[in-house]
Amino acid sequence: MRKIAFLIPALLLAACSQPAPPAEPAADAPPPMTGSTPAEAAASTTPDPAAAPQAAAEHASETPAPAAAADEGDARARIDSVLGDAAQYEKVFNAFKTAVVGGDRAAVVEEVRFPLNIAGGKKITGPGEFQRNYEKIITPAVVKAMSGQEFSKVFVNQQGVMIGDGQVWLTGECLDKACARTEVKVGTIQ
């Protein structure tokens, strides 16, 4: 009986307590994302491009897909606002897609930045190693993702442009200290 007498006030206090309000964002925190689905938001906050498709898939079942598809201007606008120079991304996207779908190994290598991140957290250090492992890197899933992807429907976050469900990521790299000149290449294939 003593235990019950002791537990009742504790339970009543616990039931009446309010959760702490959310902390204010830091002064240097990025602005909140708007206009994205929970799947896009999960993928865009995932630090590892390899984990983005998994995060997006986990949230995809929670929210119905948007009715309206993004038009080509929207993809370019998203890239320009998040990454800058959408024309560079589109050029690399088109060249890489043509090379992969056409099976042109030399052209595929031209669009890749080394070291290249591949599945399993591994890296390919140069063109020779890439060519020796071509079939392991450019898998049927990668070819299917590339052939089925339209530039107007790419996913964009601060890490780059995602193709398919994360099979390929296009990323930009600064060529000078001010980042006035950049180079876009394929940085991840998985």
Side-chain angles (χ1 to χ4, degrees):
M1 188 68 172
R2 290 177 124 181
K3 288 181 183 179
I4 293 175
F6 176 74
L7 287 176
I8 291 175
L11 290 173
L12 289 173
L13 284 173
C16 294
S17 66
Q18 296 292 321
E24 290 295 315
D28 61 346
M33 294 185 62
T34 58
S36 63
T37 66
E40 289 172 335
S44 70
T45 59
T46 304
D48 177 13
Q54 180 182 356
E58 289 171 1
H59 294 286
S61 62
E62 297 172 9
T63 306
D71 63 45
E72 193 140 349
D74 288 343
R76 283 191 186 93
R78 287 191 318 267
I79 293 169
D80 279 336
S81 69
V82 176
L83 303 168
D85 200 0
Q88 263 194 85
Y89 283 88
E90 186 172 16
K91 179 181 173 190
V92 172
F93 172 87
N94 289 331
F96 189 71
K97 180 176 181 174
T98 300
V100 167
V101 173
D104 186 345
R105 291 177 177 219
V108 168
V109 170
E110 290 298 316
E111 302 305 324
V112 172
R113 174 181 298 112
F114 296 101
L116 172 70
N117 299 314
I118 62 169
K122 298 177 183 172
K123 293 189 183 287
I124 299 295
T125 58
E129 185 181 2
F130 183 89
Q131 292 292 3
R132 286 188 301 276
N133 293 289
Y134 187 87
E135 288 81 17
K136 294 177 186 173
I137 300 167
I138 305 297
T139 63
V142 170
V143 174
K144 182 179 178 183
M146 286 304 307
S147 64
Q149 182 70 61
E150 296 176 32
F151 185 74
S152 63
K153 296 179 182 175
V154 295
F155 174 79
V156 180
N157 70 15
Q158 61 274 17
Q159 295 174 352
V161 171
M162 183 177 81
I163 298 168
D165 291 324
Q167 286 90 346
V168 178
W169 282 83
L170 305 179
T171 56
E173 182 177 273
C174 294
L175 299 176
D176 56 26
K177 286 185 180 183
C179 205
R181 295 182 317 120
T182 60
E183 178 183 54
V184 174
K185 293 279 187 178
V186 175
T188 301
I189 302 175
Q190 36 194 3

